[in-house]
Amino acid sequence: MRKQLKEAKRIVIKVGTSTLIYPNGNINLSAIDQLAFTLTDLQNQGKEIILVSSGAIGVGLNKLNMDKRPPTIPEQQAVAAVGQAELMNIYNQRFLTYSQQIAQLLLTRDVIEFPESRQNVINTMEQLLKMDIIPVINENDTVAIDELDHLTKFGDNDQLSAIVAQLIQADALIMLSDIDGFFSDNPNTNKEATLFSEINEINEELLELAGGKGSRFGTGGMYSKLKAAERILEHNGAMILANGKQPKIIFDILDGEMIGTLFI
């Protein structure tokens, strides 16, 4: 099954905040540079690459010298606005080192659910890929809130990456997280926890194994990753969940090596 990943041409890469931000809140420039190098090289090989990137709030907290998320939604949105600009500055700088042009797309769920705007998003992504530009996609945190009747949020970027993969009919979604894949239990607390190498169906038993939220800077836990995988499987796609500590691991994944958990 993994051998077919070598043939993948259109690939969505999702990076979590844990890849971009150190546990102490500082920005992991080494990982970002490695990500830019890896994705540019894949682009140079003739593949079509789309990056779905978390990290706006994490980078914003760092920029504003704040050590934890503020409690109110307007404060969080202000931090995200600062962080999104700074994150794109860093991405632009690193990708241009390798002569790779990138572009930013900020999305909300209502844009995707409304047929005309959804088609506009697809058209934009297709045109960028045609121009050998890597789209960098994030949720528009400054307007997307999930309260009252204003349900514009995707929930998290795990869901967003699966939706993007679906919209552009990607051959594979590679989700980089702070864990080596999907385990039978939390490997940080249970040494007996075993890694699932391949999963073909998301059932209640697996969802129960998935815990809560991820790091203090991110929002996605293992449950959201399983729900994203469920969406991918419903559309006969492939998703790999792997550790994003060293983003060049993407090369090995696309070489068909037994890394992480393959959902197919």
Side-chain angles (χ1 to χ4, degrees), residues 6-7 12 16 29 36 40 71 87 108 117-118 143 147 192 195 203 226 259:
K6 289 185 177 186
E7 309 304 318
V12 176
L29 295 173
T40 300
L87 180 60
T108 50
S117 55
R118 179 174 67 235
V143 299
E147 60 175 11
E192 303 298 313
L195 175 70
N203 54 36
L226 281 192
I259 291 168

Side-chain angles (χ1 to χ4, degrees), residues 132-198:
D132 295 326
I133 296 169
I134 295 178
V136 180
I137 300 173
N138 196 355
E139 179 152 23
N140 192 344
D141 289 321
T142 58
V143 299
I145 59 174
D146 197 3
E147 60 175 11
L148 305 177
D149 292 325
H150 189 52
L151 298 173
T152 63
K153 275 183 72 67
F154 293 101
D156 53 64
N157 279 341
D158 295 336
Q159 294 301 313
L160 174 57
S161 65
I163 289 167
V164 167
Q166 186 186 327
L167 285 177
I168 59 156
Q169 299 176 320
D171 299 315
L173 165 61
I174 298 176
M175 194 176 287
L176 298 182
S177 182
D178 56 357
I179 195 165
D180 293 340
F182 186 69
F183 285 81
S184 59
D185 197 1
N186 185 344
N188 297 320
T189 55
N190 181 0
K191 294 281 188 287
E192 303 298 313
T194 55
L195 175 70
F196 288 87
S197 176
E198 187 175 311

Side-chain angles (χ1 to χ4, degrees), residues 81-98:
V82 170
Q84 191 62 46
E86 180 67 9
L87 180 60
M88 286 307 295
N89 273 340
I90 297 167
Y91 273 141
N92 258 317
Q93 181 197 45
R94 298 326 300 154
F95 274 97
L96 284 176
T97 304
Y98 305 109

Side-chain angles (χ1 to χ4, degrees), residues 17-252:
T17 303
S18 58
T19 297
L20 308 174
I21 308 283
Y22 287 114
N24 64 7
N26 289 328
I27 297 166
N28 188 339
L29 295 173
S30 171
I32 293 174
D33 185 68
Q34 201 179 110
L35 183 68
F37 171 82
T38 303
L39 300 193
T40 300
D41 192 70
L42 291 173
Q43 186 85 9
N44 289 346
Q45 291 175 31
K47 296 185 185 297
E48 296 175 325
I49 303 298
I50 301 94
L51 175 62
V52 176
S53 174
S54 300
I57 289 182
V59 172
L61 292 173
N62 177 266
K63 181 82 171 170
L64 297 169
N65 295 312
M66 299 168 72
D67 59 359
K68 61 182 178 184
R69 279 176 181 249
T72 70
I73 287 176
E75 285 175 300
Q76 289 179 26
Q77 290 172 317
V79 170
V82 170
Q84 191 62 46
E86 180 67 9
L87 180 60
M88 286 307 295
N89 273 340
I90 297 167
Y91 273 141
N92 258 317
Q93 181 197 45
R94 298 326 300 154
F95 274 97
L96 284 176
T97 304
Y98 305 109
S99 303
Q100 177 61 53
Q101 184 66 53
I102 62 171
Q104 180 182 46
L105 278 81
L106 294 176
L107 303 178
T108 50
R109 184 179 276 280
D110 51 343
V111 168
I112 297 299
E113 290 182 348
F114 186 62
E116 191 174 340
S117 55
R118 179 174 67 235
Q119 190 57 51
N120 288 336
V121 169
I122 294 170
N123 293 346
T124 301
M125 286 194 284
E126 291 286 358
Q127 185 60 43
L128 288 169
L129 294 175
K130 201 179 288 183
M131 296 166 70
D132 295 326
I133 296 169
I134 295 178
V136 180
I137 300 173
N138 196 355
E139 179 152 23
N140 192 344
D141 289 321
T142 58
V143 299
I145 59 174
D146 197 3
E147 60 175 11
L148 305 177
D149 292 325
H150 189 52
L151 298 173
T152 63
K153 275 183 72 67
F154 293 101
D156 53 64
N157 279 341
D158 295 336
Q159 294 301 313
L160 174 57
S161 65
I163 289 167
V164 167
Q166 186 186 327
L167 285 177
I168 59 156
Q169 299 176 320
D171 299 315
L173 165 61
I174 298 176
M175 194 176 287
L176 298 182
S177 182
D178 56 357
I179 195 165
D180 293 340
F182 186 69
F183 285 81
S184 59
D185 197 1
N186 185 344
N188 297 320
T189 55
N190 181 0
K191 294 281 188 287
E192 303 298 313
T194 55
L195 175 70
F196 288 87
S197 176
E198 187 175 311
I199 291 175
N200 308 116
E201 178 194 13
I202 306 299
N203 54 36
E204 285 304 317
E205 187 184 348
L206 288 177
L207 290 170
E208 281 177 26
L209 285 176
K213 305 271 176 155
S215 70
R216 69 189 171 110
F217 297 105
T219 55
M222 199 51 66
Y223 183 84
S224 72
K225 289 167 178 53
L226 281 192
K227 294 303 284 184
E230 187 173 45
R231 181 182 287 272
I232 294 292
L233 291 179
E234 280 170 5
H235 293 85
N236 297 317
M239 175 180 133
I240 301 91
L241 174 62
N243 197 315
K245 196 174 180 182
Q246 302 287 338
K248 64 183 179 187
I249 197 175
I250 294 168
F251 288 133
D252 298 329

